[in-house]
Amino acid sequence: MTDSKYFTTTKKGEIFELKAELNSDKKEKKKEAVKKVIASMTVGKDVSALFPDVVNCMQTDNLELKKLVYLYLMNYAKSQPDMAIMAVNTFVKDCEDPNPLIRALAVRTMGCIRVDKITEYLCEPLRKCLKDEDPYVRKTAAVCVAKLHDINAQLVEDQGFLDTLKDLISDSNPMVVANAVAALSEIAESHPSSNLLDLNPQSINKLLTALNECTEWGQIFILDCLANYMPKDDREAQSICERVTPRLSHANSAVVLSAVKVLMKFMEMLSKDLDYYATLLKKLAPPLVTLLSAEPELQYVALRNINLIVQKRPEILKHEMKVFFVKYNDPIYVKLEKLDIMIRLASQANIAQVLAELKEYATEVDVDFVRKAVRAIGRCAIKVEQSAERCVSTLLDLIQTKVNYVVQEAIVVIKDIFRKYPNKYESVIATLCENLDSLDEPEARAAMIWIVGEYAERIDNADELLESFLEGFHDESTQVQLQLLTAIVKLFLKKPTETQELVQQVLSLATQDSDNPDLRDRGYIYWRLLSTDPVAAKEVVLAEKPLISEETDLIEPTLLDELICYIGTLASVYHKPPNAFVEGGRGVVHKSLPPRTASSESTESPETAPAGAPAGDQPDVIPAQGDLLGDLLNLDLGPPVSGPPLAASSVQMGAVDLLGGGLDSLMGDEPEGIGDSNFGAPSASVAAAPAPARLGAPISSGLSDLFDLTSGVGTLSGSYVAPKAVWLPAMKAKGLEISGTFTRQVGSISMDLQLTNKALQVMTDFAIQFNRNSFGLAPAAPLQVHAPLSPNQTVEISLPLNTVGSVMKMEPLNNLQVAVKNNIDVFYFSTLYPLHVLFVEDGKMDRQMFLATWKDIANENEAQFQIRDCPLNTEAASNKLQSSNIFTVAKRNVEGQDMLYQSLKLTNGIWVLAELRIQPGNPSFTDLELSLKCRAPEVSQHVHQAYETILKN
């Protein structure tokens, strides 16, 4: 019978029965009982009450039983440190057992029990095990030193364990050597300045000898250690490379990548004229190719590493183009990565093959992949001059397919080809102009406008084409508006007589009717240039443009050198140095390649930043806009950042899983919008500042705001209402702009929305839905827009809300994810609601209850905050807070300061108690001190924000 029977018990009084069985005289019964205890522990039951009984079972010769007891000890020693000391004697005894397996088991368990009281008792047994005659015990003891160092570094140094570890590098057994290297590397990582792994040619020789006989993990530790060594000259580097090369044929991909890292690093020191250098290049290709026959996830990691290797040494894989051709069943992330490498390897020799392949990809069904393939054709044209003509004719063939997104991508890349090869392919402009009406993406529209403006003298009806774009000027994205402004000014300078009216119209739109500062500034510069010195305007606007460079998305050289040192780690997958994504106290050491020998060609200028320079100082390298995977890794999946910054004393979220739950999708399937840039839309924050009045807006709109009750300025009663903020900008919602705020009036919560149609078509069929959130906020009625929303029309709606929806804890707590649907599409955004809209009207506690509750809530649940520059005295503050349902229970004066004791209650029944300390009678701005106590401390931070918002507005 299998061990599954131990997991199926349903008996009551289990602990009592197990206790009896553990103390039984029969060995078999004891073993069964311990198995049951381990089974209960595994499924999460608390069996710590049996600690003394289980520890008594340690005195046994049965290895299986001993293993089970040790497993139990590791789990519960931390919660029962005093009891755990009982086991020390047995450990000491087991470390001298004749059976090496038991000695190793004892030392391994000792290392896993992270209890300070016990560590000093472990030193003697550990010292014996480090010098044990059996290699299995020695290798286990080596790892134990690293664990002990993590618990108490000073103790390890005082006891001389580090010197013993260094001696183990010279051990006769390869596994002991590997574990000693692993332990020293681990310790050195947490203490970068300690120089523990002081490697010299003799120790390197021992490591290389051990390399051939280690397990695969041992090999990885040794290779990673070798990668940190700096050979004294090129002969030593070559000798190490020769002995590491056989690892390239290992079956484990991690060993292969670690070997590649060592070779890539030491190749820097080899002269390119050496025969061995050429041999090494040939040897590096097959293992990298072999990695691409693994499963897709491994392929992706391999491809991200190959991408770095190809940027550093493209000659390694220059003959292996075919392995990067996309297979029909490759996942999209593998396809996009392969495409990137194909372009990097494209050369005159293989361009015909690559172009045929890319043309095939452009007819696929996967839209993202097709877009990237079309871009790739353009990049090939720019990279390999001889192929430019073939690339352009391929792009024209694709434009003839009339597939909307293919046409748009093609136009974007043709613009770059015109920049690279001026006066060569302008004959295709007529074909491009035929597709003008189908362009709906900002980048494609901007590219087309640039082409029309740049070559206006060759296009007879250029003015008509640009005028057609001008009709919806305010609905266009900023990119298109800027491009249109420049293109019309170019057109005016080339054909001044015919386009005077057009240029005046666009300058007026850009300077007087626009609230975008970039657009206004550019408009004024052009206006002044044209009105003061047309000749200078011509020299500035129609100046000769520099040719664009071959590849704009290469990683900056110093960063690339650093990433080569991290091949086979997460840094090589993210293409970011570890300090960009690793947090915490462990010092991340900057690594760099060894200096190149005089004979190896330098690809790095002396001015480039050193490898240790912070990321911010490095020159920016523009990523390709189609690099979706790159974008994915940079995506900030957090909630919208708005509102006051969190106070330093705020309590850690997640201390109590207050509102539980796992992430559900908003509407059936997970929509693309969640976690995507739509959710980064500006959101209403609890302290959102009112937007500045629009330039050029009629003055009367300021007056209407003054008397607009929803803005919170004129509210007679009820809680403070923040001004409306834009939650969903029109450019992210196909012309629909949504602004809003939250209000609480006489016990009911509502979301006051302002919907504006900035598109060219009528909008109807509105609906709204909320994702599960921390307080169960949900619409209490459908979103009712009574008449169709015409272009440029705005409608205001008050949507009643209730708090009976599904609950799921959000991060931050007051994050609300919303989906709005209309006849055009479904749009997603997220916003932060101010917590005070959830303060209920019956939140006043009586004094006795307040006193009892304050004492009852643990002191660690108290959070202290400061509210700076508050303009109110005690009476005014108390009244203002009461209008937002924060009630003053009692007031007293202590040492000349007024103390307000207040209570409030949230819609889900959570009480928050507050003590507010105010300097009395001080009319000028004063600092307040706020103490909050609550059984759910994660709420305190947001209650503090509510106080700050209410008192300062």
Side-chain angles (χ1 to χ4, degrees):
M1 191 172 172
T2 64
D3 285 349
S4 60
K5 63 183 177 183
Y6 300 113
F7 293 88
T8 54
T9 173
T10 54
K11 281 190 243 167
K12 293 189 174 153
E14 238 179 318
I15 299 284
F16 185 72
E17 285 177 21
L18 286 170
K19 204 179 186 77
E21 287 178 26
L22 286 168
N23 294 315
S24 162
D25 299 334
K26 294 178 183 165
K27 283 187 178 177
E28 273 310 306
K29 211 164 186 187
K30 242 183 200 180
K31 195 158 86 175
E32 292 291 301
V34 175
K35 282 188 178 179
K36 285 179 191 168
V37 171
I38 297 293
S40 300
M41 183 177 90
T42 308
V43 296
K45 289 182 188 166
D46 182 14
V47 282
S48 56
L50 297 167
F51 199 91
D53 305 284
V54 177
V55 171
N56 284 340
C57 298
M58 279 174 83
Q59 314 288 347
T60 176
D61 304 330
N62 186 315
L63 185 60
E64 187 185 3
L65 181 54
K66 211 175 256 295
K67 278 185 180 175
L68 291 168
V69 175
Y70 279 176
L71 192 61
Y72 177 89
L73 262 175
M74 282 188 240
N75 202 23
Y76 283 117
K78 199 154 193 182
S79 58
Q80 310 252 0
D82 299 332
M83 291 278 206
I85 290 181
M86 291 164 44
V88 168
N89 266 345
T90 316
F91 282 139
V92 175
K93 214 165 101 187
D94 281 356
C95 284
E96 292 173 6
D97 194 279
N99 183 343
L101 289 175
I102 289 180
R103 297 202 297 275
L105 184 62
V107 79
R108 179 185 292 125
T109 311
M110 280 162 29
C112 292
I113 295 177
R114 302 176 65 81
V115 176
D116 281 337
K117 287 183 181 176
I118 294 182
T119 45
E120 57 213 58
Y121 297 109
L122 305 186
C123 296
E124 228 23 72
L126 181 57
R127 184 174 285 107
K128 285 181 186 168
C129 288
L130 282 167
K131 296 194 163 73
D132 197 282
E133 62 196 31
D134 193 288
Y136 182 73
V137 181
R138 292 201 301 277
K139 85 176 180 71
T140 311
V143 176
C144 188
V145 173
K147 289 179 178 174
L148 193 59
H149 188 275
D150 197 34
I151 303 166
N152 189 340
Q154 197 55 48
L155 183 72
V156 171
E157 284 162 32
D158 296 346
Q159 293 282 345
F161 287 147
L162 294 179
D163 295 329
T164 317
L165 259 189
K166 287 180 188 173
D167 295 342
L168 287 182
I169 289 184
S170 312
D171 198 278
S172 56
N173 184 287
M175 269 320 299
V176 178
V177 175
N179 279 16
V181 167
L184 284 168
S185 304
E186 179 77 18
I187 295 168
E189 214 167 275
S190 55
H191 293 71
S193 55
S194 61
N195 196 22
L196 282 173
L197 274 164
D198 188 14
L199 298 171
N200 53 43
Q202 289 73 34
S203 56
I204 287 293
N205 192 28
K206 286 170 187 163
L207 289 183
L208 288 166
T209 308
L211 187 62
N212 299 325
E213 298 163 44
C214 278
T215 63
E216 47 201 26
W217 285 111
Q219 293 184 29
I220 293 166
F221 291 135
I222 291 176
L223 287 167
D224 286 349
C225 177
L226 286 173
N228 295 328
Y229 175 63
M230 189 68 75
K232 62 180 189 294
D233 56 25
D234 55 348
R235 284 184 61 187
E236 191 186 356
Q238 181 175 337
S239 156
I240 294 173
C241 287
E242 282 169 354
R243 294 177 70 178
V244 167
T245 309
R247 299 300 104 214
L248 292 173
S249 52
H250 199 283
N252 185 316
S253 48
V255 176
V256 174
L257 281 176
S258 294
V260 168
K261 170 167 63 183
V262 174
L263 296 173
M264 285 292 289
K265 207 168 169 185
F266 292 169
M267 277 170 82
E268 289 291 303
M269 299 184 72
L270 302 180
S271 162
K272 291 193 175 181
D273 309 329
L274 280 176
D275 292 343
Y276 179 70
Y277 182 86
T279 314
L280 197 51
L281 286 181
K282 282 182 192 156
K283 282 184 179 171
L284 272 169
L288 293 173
V289 170
T290 308
L291 289 176
L292 299 182
S293 54
E295 51 268 33
E297 294 79 8
L298 279 179
Q299 275 189 56
Y300 177 67
V301 172
L303 287 164
R304 292 292 284 176
N305 280 281
I306 288 169
N307 202 326
L308 295 174
I309 293 165
V310 164
Q311 288 184 54
K312 185 72 189 166
R313 301 198 182 279
E315 62 272 27
I316 292 175
L317 288 160
K318 66 180 178 188
H319 300 304
E320 303 292 345
M321 175 64 87
K322 275 193 173 172
V323 297
F324 298 107
F325 285 176
V326 170
K327 298 191 181 90
Y328 75 96
N329 58 351
D330 280 340
I332 181 68
Y333 53 90
V334 170
K335 286 181 175 177
L336 295 176
E337 206 54 42
K338 281 185 172 178
L339 208 48
D340 213 30
I341 295 170
M342 277 170 67
I343 298 155
R344 297 205 193 288
L345 292 175
S347 63
Q348 202 176 335
N350 56 23
I351 194 72
Q353 218 179 1
V354 173
L355 272 182
E357 195 72 12
L358 291 175
K359 191 173 179 182
E360 196 66 38
Y361 299 163
T363 58
E364 288 270 338
V365 288
D366 192 317
V367 177
D368 285 340
F369 181 52
V370 171
R371 284 174 180 277
K372 183 113 180 188
V374 176
R375 294 241 168 166
I377 295 172
R379 279 172 67 188
C380 287
I382 290 164
K383 187 177 179 192
V384 186
E385 189 167 345
Q386 294 77 358
S387 72
E389 198 150 329
R390 296 179 66 165
C391 293
V392 171
S393 66
T394 306
L395 289 169
L396 286 178
D397 292 347
L398 292 172
I399 289 175
Q400 297 307 332
T401 61
K402 301 288 183 198
V403 177
N404 189 304
Y405 54 87
V406 175
V407 172
Q408 307 208 55
E409 287 295 333
I411 286 174
V412 172
V413 295
I414 285 176
K415 178 203 81 173
D416 290 340
I417 293 172
F418 285 169
R419 283 284 308 275
K420 176 75 176 171
Y421 309 112
N423 305 319
K424 219 169 175 190
Y425 301 109
E426 282 72 15
S427 54
V428 306
I429 291 174
T431 316
L432 302 184
C433 291
E434 290 166 17
N435 294 284
L436 212 64
D437 300 335
S438 65
L439 306 182
D440 54 18
E441 291 168 17
E443 202 183 351
R445 289 172 78 83
M448 192 65 224
I449 291 166
W450 181 86
I451 291 169
V452 172
E454 189 67 19
Y455 301 103
E457 68 280 9
R458 305 179 186 209
I459 304 170
D460 300 334
N461 60 341
D463 50 346
E464 288 170 28
L465 296 178
L466 292 176
E467 202 167 354
S468 68
F469 283 106
L470 205 57
E471 288 161 11
F473 186 77
H474 286 306
D475 298 329
E476 299 284 6
S477 69
T478 308
Q479 183 184 6
V480 177
Q481 291 176 332
L482 289 166
Q483 202 57 267
L484 193 53
L485 172 61
T486 304
I488 290 177
V489 171
K490 283 181 187 172
L491 177 67
F492 172 70
L493 291 169
K494 290 174 181 178
K495 304 180 180 177
T497 48
E498 305 150 41
T499 54
Q500 201 162 349
E501 217 172 283
L502 192 61
V503 80
Q504 281 176 335
Q505 191 184 346
V506 77
L507 288 172
S508 153
L509 283 169
T511 54
Q512 292 169 8
D513 302 347
S514 169
D515 53 5
N516 182 318
D518 292 342
L519 189 61
R520 271 207 314 273
D521 289 355
R522 191 181 288 194
Y524 280 127
I525 287 170
Y526 284 157
W527 198 316
R528 284 174 190 150
L529 264 175
L530 292 170
S531 54
T532 53
D533 191 350
V535 179
K538 207 161 193 168
E539 282 173 12
V540 170
V541 181
L542 301 180
E544 192 75 15
K545 283 163 202 63
L547 299 183
I548 59 175
S549 68
E550 285 185 9
E551 293 202 55
T552 52
D553 62 339
L554 290 172
I555 293 175
E556 188 269 325
T558 45
L559 175 59
L560 181 62
D561 284 355
E562 187 177 351
L563 291 177
I564 292 289
C565 301
Y566 287 110
I567 282 176
T569 67
L570 205 52
S572 67
V573 179
Y574 282 167
H575 287 188
K576 290 178 175 181
N579 59 331
F581 60 87
V582 175
E583 288 182 1
R586 298 221 161 186
V588 176
V589 192
H590 278 284
K591 297 184 181 181
S592 59
L593 292 177
R596 293 170 177 78
T597 54
S599 56
S600 65
E601 293 163 34
S602 174
T603 56
E604 186 178 17
S605 67
E607 293 84 26
T608 48
D617 300 342
Q618 291 168 349
D620 288 337
V621 177
I622 305 157
Q625 284 169 320
D627 188 355
L628 295 172
L629 277 164
D631 294 349
L632 235 175
L633 293 170
N634 292 328
L635 255 185
D636 181 5
L637 296 174
V641 179
S642 61
L646 298 181
S649 60
S650 75
V651 185
Q652 273 278 306
M653 296 297 275
V656 179
D657 189 356
L658 175 71
L659 302 151
L663 185 62
D664 253 14
S665 61
L666 209 49
M667 291 179 161
D669 293 326
E670 175 87 337
E672 284 177 17
I674 293 185
D676 148 330
S677 48
N678 290 359
F679 269 86
S683 56
S685 83
V686 279
R694 270 187 50 187
L695 272 109
I699 297 166
S700 60
S701 68
L703 291 171
S704 64
D705 284 349
L706 199 61
F707 295 105
D708 175 16
L709 292 183
T710 57
S711 72
V713 183
T715 352
L716 300 171
S717 65
S719 61
Y720 164 73
V721 180
K724 284 197 180 86
V726 177
W727 287 342
L728 183 64
M731 63 197 308
K732 291 193 175 174
K734 300 185 181 174
L736 173 65
E737 182 177 280
I738 301 179
S739 307
T741 186
F742 293 89
T743 62
R744 185 181 183 93
Q745 298 282 342
V746 205
S748 58
I749 308 168
S750 55
M751 183 192 245
D752 292 348
L753 295 168
Q754 180 175 304
L755 309 182
T756 305
N757 181 357
K758 295 191 172 182
L760 300 175
Q761 67 188 93
V762 173
M763 292 182 182
T764 57
D765 307 332
F766 284 90
I768 193 165
Q769 194 167 348
F770 294 177
N771 197 1
R772 287 160 55 176
N773 55 78
S774 304
F775 293 92
L777 274 179
L783 181 64
Q784 295 192 326
V785 181
H786 293 299
L789 197 59
S790 308
N792 296 320
Q793 186 187 351
T794 297
V795 63
E796 303 222 347
I797 301 153
S798 187
L799 177 72
L801 306 180
N802 60 35
T803 51
V804 295
S806 299
V807 170
M808 179 183 79
K809 185 177 173 186
M810 299 297 285
E811 188 67 52
L813 216 54
N814 57 338
N815 190 16
L816 180 67
Q817 297 177 334
V818 184
V820 173
K821 175 185 138 336
N822 63 13
N823 58 323
I824 297 172
D825 206 344
V826 180
F827 309 106
Y828 307 97
F829 64 90
S830 73
T831 178
L832 301 176
Y833 48 88
L835 210 65
H836 66 261
V837 300
L838 304 174
F839 298 170
V840 295
E841 282 66 23
D842 62 343
K844 186 165 184 177
M845 255 186 196
D846 66 53
R847 291 185 180 205
Q848 300 306 111
M849 184 73 170
F850 183 94
L851 204 59
T853 311
W854 185 276
K855 285 178 182 169
D856 191 38
I857 295 174
N859 284 342
E860 54 262 30
N861 281 19
E862 183 172 353
Q864 310 275 347
F865 303 97
Q866 269 205 321
I867 299 171
R868 299 196 177 278
D869 303 331
C870 175
L872 303 171
N873 62 22
T874 311
E875 198 62 38
S878 178
N879 292 341
K880 194 158 192 183
L881 291 165
Q882 182 146 343
S883 69
S884 289
N885 296 338
I886 300 175
F887 300 97
T888 302
V889 176
K891 174 184 161 187
R892 64 195 181 106
N893 191 293
V894 181
E895 296 172 0
Q897 289 190 317
D898 283 345
M899 309 278 274
L900 295 181
Y901 296 95
Q902 298 178 313
S903 69
L904 63 96
K905 183 176 157 192
L906 293 162
T907 49
N908 59 358
I910 291 176
W911 284 91
V912 182
L913 309 186
E915 178 188 85
L916 189 64
R917 192 185 293 252
I918 305 177
Q919 209 71 39
N922 187 352
S924 65
F925 288 82
T926 172
D927 290 351
L928 314 184
E929 287 177 27
L930 175 67
S931 294
L932 295 173
K933 262 194 171 188
C934 176
R935 284 195 168 85
E938 41 272 88
V939 171
S940 301
Q941 176 57 49
H942 301 281
V943 172
H944 159 239
Q945 287 181 6
Y947 263 87
E948 185 122 20
T949 307
I950 295 162
L951 290 171
K952 289 188 178 178
N953 288 288

